[in-house]
Amino acid sequence: MADANGHETAQEMKMRLREKPLSELMEELEQMSSISEYDCDIDLICAYLDVLEEKAPVLPKGYDPAAEYEKFKENHSELFDVLAAPLPEKAPAGKSRFVRLKQTLVTFAALFCVVVFVADASGAGVLDRLIEWGSETFSLRPASGVMELEVAEENGFKSLAEALEYYEVENPAIPTWIPNRYSIDRVAAMEAENTTTISGRYTTDSGTLFIRVTIGFEEDFTFEENQTAEHNMYQAKGIEFVLSTNMDTERATWDINGVTYSAGGNISLDELKEMLDSIQP
């Protein structure tokens, strides 16, 4: 029987909807989902859902979730036994350290065998190969100075590496380490007619250090004259460096794939070599 406003009651809605097939109910309910919130009839939607539950219940009649859970536990008790099992007692600290040390020694022994095998196969001296491998794997180099600005320069560069990436220098052979007392001061790029020079300047209270990269450099190396010392050669990472000293300033110059690099400043020769050793070609 309709209510005072002439609308169907919830019971009347359900009685009418029960006469429709399931597919028609699903289709009509789907169409109702596109109706705006102001036009939708909540009571009618609830009636549809109730009748759909009667015709095609989500859970079978008489389904008891608690009983089904207990049945699952009984059929798969091993899962719950694992969850309920107590945690193993913590191994004594001494034994734990011994196990870790043993694992480390085994790993080192395996790496040692690999290195010896490779050295033997390539005809290289085993000791030389081990020294080279150890120097590359276990670096004792102290912490580097700061090589990246906190705020980018006006040109948009925060580091020398960023500037070289912008100028499309692939795999730049620049140091990744500078003495700890130095911090980057600026990154500059100067474009000339045939060359572009990108430089990083690093400063400390007592000196300045430069790393410069010149693209399009076609002339031979030129070095400052030094009346007290000759230019020396130095090799690292497969790169040949020319070392020079001028006015108590150490400098290195090298060339890779037509790109010329130089590094130098108020540093010792050992520090300069550390910088060169840090290059990752």
Side-chain angles (χ1 to χ4, degrees):
M1 183 176 180
D3 60 16
N5 295 323
H7 298 301
E8 284 184 308
T9 63
Q11 188 61 32
E12 288 174 334
M13 291 180 189
K14 292 180 183 179
M15 291 178 61
R16 176 172 59 82
L17 295 176
R18 288 190 185 107
E19 298 176 358
K20 297 185 178 186
L22 179 62
S23 59
E24 185 176 345
L25 291 173
M26 294 287 291
E27 184 178 349
E28 291 178 355
L29 186 60
E30 184 177 356
Q31 293 174 354
M32 294 174 64
S33 65
S34 61
I35 299 176
S36 69
E37 58 181 315
Y38 302 103
D39 299 327
C40 69
D41 187 337
I42 302 299
D43 293 334
L44 181 59
I45 293 176
C46 290
Y48 267 93
L49 295 175
D50 289 341
V51 174
L52 285 173
E53 179 64 23
E54 293 176 5
K55 289 179 173 287
V58 177
L59 296 176
K61 188 176 181 179
Y63 182 83
D64 185 351
E68 291 297 324
Y69 175 73
E70 292 300 327
K71 183 178 179 181
F72 179 81
K73 285 180 61 176
E74 182 179 349
N75 293 336
H76 302 281
S77 58
E78 68 278 2
L79 297 178
F80 296 89
D81 291 341
V82 171
L83 293 176
L87 294 175
E89 294 184 4
K90 186 176 180 180
K95 183 177 180 180
S96 177
R97 286 196 297 271
F98 173 76
V99 171
R100 288 197 298 270
L101 177 59
K102 183 178 179 182
Q103 292 173 341
T104 302
L105 291 175
V106 170
T107 302
F108 181 81
L111 290 173
F112 177 86
C113 293
V114 171
V115 173
V116 171
F117 174 79
V118 172
D120 182 66
S122 62
V126 173
L127 183 59
D128 292 339
R129 299 289 292 194
L130 284 176
I131 293 174
E132 180 182 351
W133 172 77
S135 64
E136 294 179 357
T137 305
F138 303 104
S139 174
L140 300 179
R141 188 179 299 120
S144 173
V146 179
M147 303 186 72
E148 182 173 312
L149 293 165
E150 293 185 2
V151 180
E153 295 273 8
E154 292 182 1
N155 54 26
F157 305 133
K158 296 177 68 175
S159 67
L160 179 60
E162 279 190 3
L164 294 176
E165 182 179 0
Y166 174 81
Y167 283 97
E168 299 181 347
V169 178
E170 297 183 359
N171 302 318
I174 58 174
T176 59
W177 179 92
I178 59 175
N180 183 261
R181 63 185 179 278
Y182 281 95
S183 296
I184 188 168
D185 179 60
R186 67 172 301 185
V187 179
M190 183 176 66
E191 299 183 15
E193 184 177 353
N194 298 317
T195 62
T196 299
T197 300
I198 304 105
S199 62
R201 184 176 71 185
Y202 310 84
T203 59
T204 184
D205 293 338
S206 58
T208 305
L209 169 67
F210 286 95
I211 301 175
R212 293 189 179 94
V213 181
T214 303
I215 307 169
F217 189 80
E218 297 180 352
E219 301 178 11
D220 294 333
F221 291 149
T222 58
F223 303 97
E224 299 88 345
E225 293 297 331
N226 189 327
Q227 297 178 354
T228 60
E230 296 181 354
H231 304 305
N232 297 314
M233 305 302 296
Y234 178 72
Q235 283 193 340
K237 304 295 179 66
I239 304 173
E240 191 171 74
F241 305 91
V242 181
L243 306 181
S244 62
T245 304
N246 185 57
M247 301 296 292
D248 296 327
T249 299
E250 299 292 341
R251 178 189 179 196
T253 310
W254 62 103
D255 178 88
I256 295 181
N257 298 327
V259 179
T260 298
Y261 302 82
S262 65
N266 304 112
I267 56 176
S268 67
L269 180 59
D270 287 341
E271 289 175 327
L272 178 59
K273 290 181 178 180
E274 285 282 2
M275 289 177 60
L276 302 179
D277 290 343
S278 73
I279 294 173
Q280 302 296 329

